[in-house]
Structures are given as C-alpha cells and as structure tokens.
Amino acid sequence: MQFDHIAISGTDLEEAAAWVEDALGVRLQTGGAHDVFHTHNRVLGLADGLYLEAIAINPEAPQPDRPRWFDLDRFSGPPRLTNWICRCEDLDTELRRLPLGFGRPVDLQRDTLRWRMAVPDDGILPFDNCAPALIEWQTPVHPAKRLVPSGIRLTRLTVRHPEAEKLKALVAPALGDDRVAYETGSAGLHAAFETPRGPRELEA
C-alpha cells in the first residue's frame, strides 16, 4: 500500500478549488467528470508522486443509483480536507485483510484514466471517514506524473480520531509512510505543506 492523494470536498467545485488555491497559493489544473458517482474535480500535482484533488457533486450529471463516494451526499458547509487515498497493487487482496466497512471494488474512469476503488455501499468510510479510501490504478502512467509540478510538498498528514490507535493498527503495517501520523482526538484530517511561499496547512 502507498499514499496516493488527498481530497478536498466542497458543495461546489469552483468554491472548493478556490479554497485550495487561496490556502496554498497556486492554481489547480483542470480535472474532469467521474462516471458512476457523477462528481467532478480539479487537481494539483505535489512532490514525491502525490497529488491533491478538489471534488464536488457535478450538478449537470444525473443522480447516481447508489450513494456517492467520499460521503459527498451528506457533505455541507465550507470546503475542507475530507479524505486520503492509498493505492495498492491488488485491491482484492488488500480488502480481504481489512474489515468489511472499507468497501467493495467499483470500476471507474475519467477520460483516459481507469481504476478500481473500494467504496462502501453507503459511501461512508470507517472511522468516521478517517480511514483511507483504497485505489488500484489500471493505467500505465500514474495521474500525478501527468500534472504540472507545483513546487508544493506534503510533509505531514495527521489523522485524528477517538480510535486512532485502532486505525493505525489496521493501516500502518501495510502503509509504512512516515508522513502519516495518527492522533487521538475528534475525527478529522490535517495536512501540512512546504510551498514556495512558506508553510501552509489544510484542515477538516
């Protein structure tokens, strides 16, 4: 398992993208629309093979026949950091290791990108959405390599939850990434960055 990207959710994509751009001091790139869940995004290339996406429900798309991923059907309020995503070589094997709440594989695509993602039936990830979503890319080039470098590096993702140690015991043995920290507290995520304009932060 490897750390793949982070997601900032909003009720409106323009608003979510503007929030990220104001916080990090850089413009996001055009993303695209997602089938199945009928969302759309904008993206930002980060250092070390990571990237960031701002995501929201696509108002021009139909209502999906199942709950949307990232718990977007229940999202309200201002834009904020809501999810982190880890990639794995074999999604089915990884899911067998984890509790059932991490979801079932769904085949997805955006433009020329194709991937499988584990999505819970209700769209809500374990540990109050603080558990990582799991993805298996099915394209030869990772999407982060297609993005313009931003000069921004994610230095720390702090995952806070009342049962943080339990979540760590499930995820950390397979992930092994020093950038990810687990902290006992109210549920939420916090990301710290190095940018050309100095340290910046994004939070739930």
Side-chain angles (χ1 to χ4, degrees):
M1 189 187 297
Q2 291 180 283
F3 193 4
D4 194 80
H5 68 280
I6 60 174
I8 285 76
S9 298
T11 56
D12 174 82
L13 183 57
E14 293 290 337
E15 184 181 18
W19 184 75
V20 175
E21 291 171 349
D22 181 65
L24 299 184
V26 65
R27 296 283 294 178
L28 272 64
Q29 293 180 231
T30 300
H34 307 111
D35 293 335
V36 180
F37 297 106
H38 300 304
T39 56
H40 54 172
N41 71 355
R42 292 192 184 171
V43 289
L44 178 69
L46 305 174
D48 305 317
L50 300 179
Y51 73 99
L52 173 156
E53 69 171 327
I55 189 168
I57 292 172
N58 184 352
E60 298 181 359
Q63 180 74 22
D65 60 3
R66 58 168 293 163
R68 291 181 174 90
W69 53 4
F70 299 147
D71 200 16
L72 281 171
D73 289 314
R74 300 193 308 166
F75 184 88
S76 62
R80 55 191 179 272
L81 172 61
T82 54
N83 295 91
W84 60 302
I85 298 89
C86 292
R87 66 180 179 270
C88 45
E89 295 295 326
D90 188 331
L91 182 59
D92 298 290
T93 297
E94 199 62 48
L95 286 173
R96 283 194 291 270
R97 186 185 68 82
L98 294 165
L100 293 176
F102 277 75
R104 295 185 293 173
V106 180
D107 293 323
L108 297 157
Q109 68 179 73
R110 176 173 69 78
D111 303 322
T112 60
L113 292 173
R114 281 166 174 72
W115 67 98
R116 300 172 74 219
M117 194 155 186
V119 182
D121 290 340
D122 60 3
I124 306 170
L125 287 157
F127 296 90
D128 303 297
N129 284 311
C130 289
L134 302 183
I135 191 169
E136 178 187 329
W137 290 104
Q138 298 180 312
T139 51
V141 179
H142 188 270
K145 294 182 179 179
R146 304 175 8 159
L147 300 175
V148 177
S150 65
I152 295 176
R153 181 185 306 276
L154 187 146
T155 57
R156 179 60 60 97
L157 176 74
T158 302
V159 182
R160 293 192 307 268
H161 192 270
E163 296 182 293
E165 289 304 312
K166 183 177 178 180
L167 175 58
K168 181 179 180 180
L170 286 172
V171 176
L175 180 60
D177 193 315
D178 291 339
R179 293 170 296 191
V180 180
Y182 303 84
E183 183 179 289
T184 301
S186 57
L189 303 175
H190 177 273
F193 303 85
E194 291 177 355
T195 82
R197 297 167 182 79
R200 299 291 177 94
E201 299 179 348
L202 295 176
E203 192 160 7

